[in-house]
Amino acid sequence: MLKILKYSFYDLSRSRWSYIYFLFYLLLGVTLLFLNNDLSGAVITLMNVIIILIPLIGTIFGVMYYYNSKEFTELLLAQPVKRSSIFIGQYLGVAISLSASLVLGLGIPFAAYGLFESGVIWNFTVLLITGVFLTFIFTALAFNIALSNENKIKGFGYAVLLWLFLAVIYDGLFLLALVYFQEYPLDKFSLLATIFNPIDLSRILILLELDISALLSYTGAVFKKFLGTSLGALISFGMLSLWVILPVWRISAKAKKKDF
């Protein structure tokens, strides 16, 4: 699996799209620091960008890599190599490559600006950690979609639909439920609905870390009480880890049963 991981990582490292992805974050970080001249404001703006962009890039990149490397994958399947090792190795190669572009692209301008001497280094670290989690989550979901659909058009369509649902539609349904059932206690429902969407969970973790939970509307106190504690943070990162583990487990299970 390590050899396949290294091959996928080096293959993507030579790809122009990886350089474009890296340069985008590098320019974004430089521009935000130049315009805001404030690390806290730059972190807040970055949150609004990467919470939407990272899931989209992870999903599209994962599906695209699977379909583009299909012939090479079939060649590997004819070798005495475990199926799970092939697909998990490819998945880790894609996820690690995208994560490296994110961390280096944003880390370089912020480090040059003097981030390590400021008091917002932990806020920026939480931003990067959640960004890496989202990369691993949506890349794993993309591989699941691609493994389940031989048709490339269907695969891309389902991938975009998944991102659209979790990034936009889910929040709309959530808000409608809060408005429609506003006469009932919705504390537990709000927490559960947030935990079951990795994008919302990541956004709230960053907002709580920035101590601007007032932006979370009237449920902000509930999130602050539960997710703002050390135990709540551990549970939140545990749920994000579960969002990674379960799709990876399904990749392994699907690869073993799939007829190629």
Side-chain angles (χ1 to χ4, degrees):
M1 184 176 73
L2 289 176
K3 290 184 178 179
I4 298 171
L5 190 160
K6 289 180 182 178
Y7 171 80
S8 300
F9 180 80
Y10 290 136
D11 183 38
L12 284 168
S13 298
R14 295 191 299 266
S15 171
R16 62 178 179 179
W17 292 110
S18 296
Y19 290 110
I20 292 173
Y21 193 55
F22 165 75
L23 289 174
F24 170 78
Y25 282 117
L26 184 66
L27 292 174
L28 180 63
V30 171
T31 303
L32 288 177
L33 291 173
F34 177 76
L35 293 177
N36 287 324
N37 198 27
D38 176 44
L39 288 173
S40 298
V43 170
I44 295 172
T45 306
L46 276 176
M47 178 201 71
N48 293 323
V49 174
I50 70 173
I51 285 294
I52 299 299
L53 184 63
I54 287 178
L56 177 62
I57 297 298
T59 305
I60 297 299
F61 223 96
V63 172
M64 184 172 65
Y65 183 84
Y66 174 86
Y67 287 122
N68 288 345
S69 61
K70 193 172 182 180
E71 294 181 358
F72 176 69
T73 302
E74 291 175 350
L75 177 63
L76 289 176
L77 289 169
Q79 308 301 318
V81 184
K82 288 184 178 180
R83 287 185 171 191
S84 58
S85 298
I86 295 172
F87 292 101
I88 293 178
Q90 290 180 339
Y91 154 70
L92 289 176
V94 175
I96 292 173
S97 176
L98 292 176
S99 299
S101 297
L102 168 69
V103 173
L104 292 175
L106 292 180
I108 291 173
F110 275 78
Y113 189 80
L115 172 70
F116 299 107
E117 300 176 359
S118 68
V120 299
I121 182 171
W122 176 243
N123 298 341
F124 183 72
T125 303
V126 171
L127 180 74
L128 289 184
I129 291 173
T130 54
V132 170
F133 264 113
L134 287 175
T135 300
F136 275 79
I137 290 169
F138 281 88
T139 304
L141 293 174
F143 267 76
N144 275 282
I145 291 172
L147 274 169
S148 301
N149 295 276
E150 290 296 327
N151 189 305
K152 186 183 294 188
I153 297 176
K154 282 187 177 180
F156 275 102
Y158 288 141
V160 173
L161 184 62
L162 173 68
W163 169 79
L164 187 64
F165 175 77
L166 291 177
V168 181
I169 300 174
Y170 188 93
D171 287 342
L173 295 175
F174 182 31
L175 290 174
L176 284 175
L178 291 178
V179 172
Y180 189 77
F181 297 104
Q182 59 182 328
E183 297 179 358
Y184 299 91
L186 298 172
D187 299 350
K188 294 182 180 179
F189 169 75
S190 300
L191 287 172
L192 289 174
T194 300
I195 287 174
F196 286 113
N197 186 341
I199 296 178
D200 286 347
L201 183 57
S202 299
R203 181 187 293 114
I204 288 173
L205 281 173
I206 297 171
L207 289 176
L208 290 175
E209 188 59 38
L210 293 171
D211 200 22
I212 49 177
S213 55
L215 295 177
L216 300 177
S217 186
Y218 70 93
T219 56
V222 178
F223 294 126
K224 183 70 175 177
K225 182 179 178 181
F226 179 73
L227 299 179
T229 63
S230 299
L231 178 61
L234 287 175
I235 293 174
S236 301
F237 283 112
M239 287 300 301
L240 287 176
S241 301
L242 198 61
W243 267 100
V244 177
I245 293 170
L246 290 179
V248 171
W249 172 80
R250 190 180 182 278
I251 291 174
S252 178
K254 184 70 176 177
K256 292 176 181 178
K257 296 178 180 179
K258 185 176 175 61
D259 183 10
F260 293 93

